[in-house]
Amino acid sequence: MSRDRSIRRGQALAGWTFVSPTLVVLGLFLAVPVAMALWVSFTDWNGRGSPFASGIGFVGADNYRELVGEQGGLTRSDFMTSLRNNFFYVLLVVPLQTAFALFLALVLNQRLLKAVGFFRTAFYFPSVVSSVAISLVFLFLFSGTGVVNSMLDAIGIDGPTWFNDSRGLFHLLGDGLGLWSTADPPSALTGSGVLGLTWWQWISGPSVALSVIIMLVVWTTAGTFMLMFLAALQDLPVEVEEAARIDGAGAWGVFRNVTLPHLRPTMLLVTTLGLIGTWQVFDQVYVMTQGGPGKSTLTPAYLSYSYAFDNQKWGIAAAMAFVLFLIIFAMTSFQRFLFRDRDAIATKRAEKRTKKAHANAPAGGAS
């Protein structure tokens, strides 16, 4: 017994020895900075000197109250505007990039398609190009005299000044359908609101400028997610699809009843990564718009950067980062709840009930 215990102790020691370098690196460059940022979010540190110096004031939850409380003023208004912009950004980017990536994977998974390697490289190429470089290309394409407006002008459409247009797409859609006038919005929507913004501002939708960033991100991220879907599709046994067709299922029936259930774990991975990435969007905003025009492309990540490096309000900037973390954590947890495997959960519950019933059953024996 003592020999077995000694062997297990030696194996555990060897395991901890191998993983200790990784733990040290993660501790120094992840855990410690996160703990320091959490401390900064409760102080009025201005970025000069050490945040642990004796002269740094501890303000408690004042930084967080300035973001969501009534006394927040302009800070709360800017933060809520950034959350609104980012919400519409997530609402459009995640479904579009997921659907586009799945479509590309289904196309490349066709057995009769030739030059699959070429198309796979071509579709994936935008994902490996620098986001700054692609952002600069889109600035050129969507400028007032750029290629996009020239093509629109050729078919008789007067294109907008994309990066100077802060109008919301939902406002423009409602105006086009005759629901309201953007020049004279309904007083019921402009006279009241919540968290520093009127209802009219909340329902604006993504701005024209933000729509360009949405198109850019969908195009550049779909390639990575395409490879994930393609790997999952190639793992699907051909016999299962053939059996479904023999049973009379058409192309849509096979996709809905065979392919999609098989892709559930990959779909969860893709949407989770997309959700996390879209809430953290920064580089495209920094290069292309810097939050403008009229704060219509402002995002929490860029606003946090601006408050820290431009305004020297590191405490508020750190508080924004942790509020954003809580939002991402809550949304990803809810997403995992939606994508949970109900059959597996039901099976586990049935097994637990069976074990419990056997444990509570009276022991058999001779009377």
Side-chain angles (χ1 to χ4, degrees), residues 203-352:
I203 66 169
S204 64
S207 67
V208 174
L210 187 60
S211 66
V212 179
I213 300 178
I214 289 173
M215 288 185 281
L216 182 154
V217 172
V218 169
W219 179 59
T220 55
T221 56
T224 301
F225 297 144
M226 173 202 70
L227 293 182
M228 297 180 185
F229 280 126
L230 187 60
L233 287 171
Q234 292 177 349
D235 189 51
L236 177 63
V238 179
E239 295 81 4
V240 178
E241 293 183 342
E242 292 177 348
R245 292 191 180 94
I246 292 174
D247 289 339
W252 171 248
V254 172
F255 176 74
R256 183 168 62 90
N257 298 311
V258 177
T259 306
L260 276 184
H262 177 75
L263 293 178
R264 177 185 288 270
T266 308
M267 189 76 70
L268 173 61
L269 174 64
V270 167
T271 53
T272 301
L273 292 176
L275 188 65
I276 295 173
T278 49
W279 273 108
Q280 295 176 336
V281 59
F282 171 80
D283 43 355
Q284 294 87 354
V285 175
Y286 178 80
V287 174
M288 302 174 75
T289 63
Q290 296 191 348
K295 301 179 181 179
S296 64
T297 61
L298 195 64
T299 62
Y302 181 79
L303 184 64
S304 177
Y305 162 85
S306 178
Y307 264 76
F309 290 94
D310 296 337
N311 302 331
Q312 304 303 318
K313 296 182 178 179
W314 287 78
I316 295 178
M320 290 180 184
F322 279 98
V323 171
L324 182 60
F325 163 75
L326 292 177
I327 292 173
I328 294 174
F329 179 78
M331 295 193 70
T332 52
S333 299
F334 179 69
Q335 189 178 44
R336 287 179 61 86
F337 174 77
L338 291 179
F339 277 88
R340 69 191 188 282
D341 192 339
R342 295 177 177 83
D343 294 335
I345 293 175
T347 302
K348 289 182 179 179
R349 289 176 177 174
E351 291 176 352
K352 288 182 179 179

Side-chain angles (χ1 to χ4, degrees), residues 61-278:
D62 286 353
N63 291 329
Y64 293 91
R65 279 193 288 267
E66 193 165 347
L67 296 180
V68 298
E70 291 293 335
Q71 73 276 22
L74 182 61
T75 301
R76 184 181 70 159
S77 177
D78 287 346
F79 187 60
M80 292 305 160
T81 299
S82 70
L83 290 180
R84 178 205 62 186
N85 296 337
N86 217 147
F87 171 76
F88 287 120
Y89 176 83
V90 172
L91 189 66
L92 291 177
V93 170
V94 174
L96 288 176
Q97 71 183 6
T98 303
F100 189 37
L102 179 57
F103 170 75
L104 294 178
L106 290 171
V107 170
L108 292 180
N109 197 48
Q110 301 299 316
R111 297 179 182 84
L112 300 179
L113 180 67
K114 297 181 179 179
V116 174
F118 168 78
F119 288 111
R120 185 184 303 168
T121 303
F123 293 152
Y124 182 64
F125 184 73
S127 299
V128 298
V129 177
S130 167
S131 61
V132 174
I134 294 182
S135 298
L136 293 175
V137 171
F138 267 65
L139 280 173
F140 168 74
L141 293 176
F142 286 88
S143 64
T145 57
V147 176
V148 174
N149 276 359
S150 298
M151 295 176 61
L152 293 175
D153 186 62
I155 58 176
I157 299 177
D158 187 16
T161 53
W162 296 91
F163 294 108
N164 294 317
D165 197 336
S166 61
R167 295 176 297 172
L169 295 184
F170 293 171
H171 283 173
L172 295 176
L173 179 62
D175 197 0
L177 296 175
L179 299 178
W180 50 61
S181 171
T182 54
D184 184 23
S187 58
L189 296 177
T190 58
S192 60
V194 64
L195 296 175
L197 298 181
T198 65
W199 294 115
W200 176 252
Q201 292 173 315
W202 279 113
I203 66 169
S204 64
S207 67
V208 174
L210 187 60
S211 66
V212 179
I213 300 178
I214 289 173
M215 288 185 281
L216 182 154
V217 172
V218 169
W219 179 59
T220 55
T221 56
T224 301
F225 297 144
M226 173 202 70
L227 293 182
M228 297 180 185
F229 280 126
L230 187 60
L233 287 171
Q234 292 177 349
D235 189 51
L236 177 63
V238 179
E239 295 81 4
V240 178
E241 293 183 342
E242 292 177 348
R245 292 191 180 94
I246 292 174
D247 289 339
W252 171 248
V254 172
F255 176 74
R256 183 168 62 90
N257 298 311
V258 177
T259 306
L260 276 184
H262 177 75
L263 293 178
R264 177 185 288 270
T266 308
M267 189 76 70
L268 173 61
L269 174 64
V270 167
T271 53
T272 301
L273 292 176
L275 188 65
I276 295 173
T278 49

Side-chain angles (χ1 to χ4, degrees), residues 19-55:
V19 301
S20 58
T22 302
L23 294 178
V24 171
V25 171
L26 289 177
L28 288 177
F29 297 101
L30 182 62
V32 172
V34 168
M36 292 177 64
L38 182 61
W39 163 254
V40 169
S41 71
F42 293 105
T43 69
D44 59 358
W45 187 52
N46 60 6
R48 296 183 178 89
S50 171
F52 302 102
S54 58

